[in-house]
Amino acid sequence: MISGIRSIKISLAVLCLGIFLAAVDQTVVVTVLPDIIDDLEGGFSSSGVERAGWIVTAYLLGYMIVLPLMGRVADRFGHRRIYFLSLGIFAMGSLLCALSTSLFGLVGFRAIQAVGGGALVPVAMAVAGHSFTPRQRAIALGVIGAAGEAGAVLGPIYGAVVGQFMGWRAIFYLNLPLVLIIFWLVHRYVGKSPRYPVRIDYRSGLLLALGLGSATFAISGAGELGWLTFGLPLLGISLVFLVAFVFSDSHATSPLVRISMFANRAFSSANIAHFLLGVAMITALVQVPSFAYSSGWPETSDSSPMIGGLLLIRLTLMIPAGALAGGLLARRWGGRLTATLGFALSALGLLLTSRWSIDVGALRQTMDLLVTGLGFGLVIAPISLSVINSVKKSRMASASAVLTSTRILGMTAGLAAINSWGISRYRTIRAGDPLPLPGLGMTLSRYLDQLRIWEARNVEAILGVLSDFFLIAAVACLLAIIPSLFLLGKTNSD
């Protein structure tokens, strides 16, 4: 890397720009999903909603799978070289997404995009690990984590604005000039890095990818294809792959994940809490815009992305504020109390959100979402601090990569499971209420009245399912309080 601490800080800031952009794309589509369904499916339908969930899931899955492996790859072949390669894959995936003509195609291209985007995080962590002193390393890793969190939080708002004025495809087209700018900045400010003769455990990486991928497919497809015939058998296959990964990684000369880190109670507790945070957060990020669209908030049934974005911003704006407050409170109160308070607040906010009706007022919405977002933010610093302080400083980069992976895993599994269950529940509720058809001798006025009544029942069913979603997310936050009680704040020496 280039010499001089100032130059190293500049290079880290430049690398974080790519991480921020890739993190934005984790959630950028959640406010434009109705528009994507309408464009690619020719109209809004429950089956389209089910497949559209994979637009988010595919990105999260691809992002998560490459996290543990690419840090080692970057050490072996050079940080800047792999960063450039990752940017290229991300740009190619973005272009293919913008040109998609079907939902299935878009899902596949999102996975390609995510492979490039997810690789940027461990590459930047590797830079921090090799360029900063042990004392400075924690701050550098915090900056990298903050870039990722900020991107995921701001993604829905960015998607809503761009989708409103330029269409959903522009979200992906705009990635191309942004990638070119980042590419130039990296070329200008990030020097060539040495290569290290490290071993790369490709076998463990492949086993982990197969295990996580098959588990996600099992959970997502079980609602439509059945648990007995599809879900459970595929989960069994996933378990075999994951057990094989644990065995392979435990016996590797240069382990991919270092399973031994989970023997530390604080480390394991932080990762469990982060997993549950991912479940709750992705539920809120996806379902709050869905509520706005389904209920026609505030006075329209238009599918404008701005409708969902304006509602969601009340939650997302509080997450960075909560993260800052969480860092200050964790220093004074410790991580346990701060994280417990955060999860309790988010659970309360989500519980109140689950009780929204179609005529819920704007003030009630604002207060409930502010509480939820504040709670989400408060837990970020205590969880990250517990992980950093529970491992040796020489393992901070790999530990941070694992922590990021567990949140993405929670988001992926949570979205897949809740989406599959929600669609199945909606179909069950609506099974005995088919769309009314005009009968012989029926006047147009009478038929339109029946159609409006049916549409009202349909909206009521959708809002009922969304209410259950928020309630499940609240339960996830309550469960996260348990591992939060075991977070630590004592710094270990190298």
Side-chain angles (χ1 to χ4, degrees):
M1 298 301 297
I2 54 181
S3 61
I5 188 61
R6 183 173 180 272
S7 296
I8 293 174
K9 288 180 178 179
I10 293 174
S11 69
L12 180 64
V14 169
L15 293 173
C16 283
L17 291 177
I19 293 173
F20 176 82
L21 179 60
V24 164
D25 273 59
Q26 287 182 24
T27 56
V28 72
V29 299
V30 299
T31 48
V32 295
L33 284 178
D35 281 5
I36 294 175
I37 297 169
D38 186 61
D39 184 15
L40 298 182
E41 292 285 292
F44 193 84
S45 65
S46 62
S47 61
V49 173
E50 184 174 17
R51 289 192 293 272
W54 271 101
I55 298 173
V56 181
T57 302
Y59 190 89
L60 294 175
L61 182 60
Y63 196 93
M64 172 183 58
I65 285 174
V66 300
L67 272 172
L69 182 65
M70 293 306 294
R72 287 281 181 181
V73 174
D75 284 342
R76 177 71 178 270
F77 297 102
H79 301 145
R80 191 173 75 158
R81 177 177 299 180
I82 297 301
Y83 197 91
F84 283 150
L85 176 63
S86 302
L87 279 177
I89 295 173
F90 178 81
M92 180 181 67
S94 298
L95 178 60
L96 292 173
C97 286
L99 299 174
S100 297
T101 58
S102 69
L103 274 181
F104 286 115
L106 180 58
V107 167
F109 298 145
R110 284 277 287 172
I112 294 174
Q113 185 191 28
V115 168
L120 299 175
V121 177
V123 172
M125 286 180 172
V127 172
H130 292 290
S131 302
F132 289 91
T133 65
R135 179 172 296 181
Q136 298 163 337
R137 200 174 297 142
I139 298 176
L141 293 174
V143 171
I144 293 170
E149 294 291 347
V153 165
L154 296 177
I157 309 304
Y158 172 72
V161 173
V162 175
Q164 172 72 21
F165 296 104
M166 303 175 66
W168 68 267
R169 295 180 187 273
I171 292 171
F172 301 108
Y173 279 125
L174 287 175
N175 282 344
L176 303 180
L178 293 175
V179 165
L180 288 177
I181 293 172
I182 295 172
F183 195 101
W184 180 83
L185 289 172
V186 173
H187 178 75
R188 174 68 177 80
Y189 292 105
V190 180
K192 294 181 180 180
S193 59
R195 303 183 191 181
Y196 300 92
V198 298
R199 293 187 178 183
I200 304 174
D201 190 0
Y202 291 109
R203 181 179 61 187
S204 294
L206 177 61
L207 290 172
L208 179 61
L210 291 173
L212 295 177
S214 55
T216 304
F217 280 113
I219 297 172
S220 298
E224 183 176 4
L225 301 176
W227 277 104
L228 291 178
T229 58
F230 180 80
L232 291 178
L234 197 54
L235 277 179
I237 295 174
S238 170
L239 182 61
V240 171
F241 282 130
L242 292 176
V243 170
F245 159 73
V246 172
F247 180 82
S248 175
D249 197 67
S250 300
H251 292 79
T253 304
S254 182
L256 188 65
V257 172
R258 288 191 181 274
I259 300 297
S260 60
M261 289 190 296
F262 285 93
N264 184 294
R265 186 175 65 177
F267 181 86
S268 299
S269 298
N271 278 277
I272 294 171
H274 218 216
F275 174 88
L276 293 169
L277 174 65
V279 172
M281 185 177 289
I282 195 62
T283 301
L285 291 176
V286 172
Q287 305 308 335
V288 167
S290 296
F291 178 90
Y293 172 69
S294 301
S295 63
W297 179 88
E299 297 175 350
T300 176
S301 60
D302 182 23
S303 63
S304 164
M306 196 62 77
I307 293 175
L310 288 173
L311 186 58
L312 187 62
I313 195 173
R314 306 173 193 198
L315 181 148
T316 56
L317 282 179
M318 287 303 296
I319 296 179
L324 178 60
L328 297 174
L329 291 177
R331 178 179 298 179
R332 174 172 295 185
W333 295 352
R336 295 178 183 178
L337 182 57
T338 304
T340 299
L341 174 63
F343 279 119
L345 284 176
S346 58
L348 174 62
L350 288 165
L351 178 61
L352 294 172
T353 303
S354 72
R355 301 177 67 85
W356 284 357
S357 62
I358 193 171
D359 57 351
V360 62
L363 179 60
R364 165 73 184 277
Q365 290 177 320
T366 300
M367 295 304 297
D368 295 349
L369 292 176
L370 288 178
V371 170
T372 304
L374 176 62
F376 284 156
L378 283 175
V379 306
I380 293 174
I383 290 175
S384 301
L385 185 64
S386 184
V387 164
I388 289 176
N389 289 345
S390 64
V391 299
K392 293 181 178 180
K393 292 179 180 179
S394 59
R395 297 181 181 178
M396 284 181 180
S398 59
S400 298
V402 171
L403 182 66
T404 302
S405 297
T406 55
R407 181 176 62 82
I408 300 298
L409 178 60
M411 296 173 74
T412 305
L415 183 62
I418 292 176
N419 181 65
S420 177
W421 174 83
I423 294 299
S424 177
R425 177 163 170 73
Y426 169 80
R427 289 174 176 172
T428 300
I429 295 174
R430 303 297 292 151
D433 190 14
L435 180 70
L437 299 175
L440 293 176
M442 182 183 295
T443 64
L444 178 60
S445 176
R446 183 181 176 186
Y447 171 68
L448 292 177
D449 286 341
Q450 290 189 0
L451 189 60
R452 279 191 290 269
I453 294 172
W454 181 89
E455 289 175 343
R457 291 197 300 267
N458 189 56
V459 170
E460 183 179 351
I462 293 174
L463 295 183
V465 173
L466 291 178
S467 176
D468 291 340
F469 285 158
F470 293 126
L471 188 59
I472 293 171
V475 172
C477 290
L478 289 175
L479 290 175
I481 292 176
I482 299 174
S484 296
L485 299 176
F486 299 97
L487 300 181
L488 297 179
K490 184 180 179 181
T491 303
N492 291 343
S493 60
D494 211 3

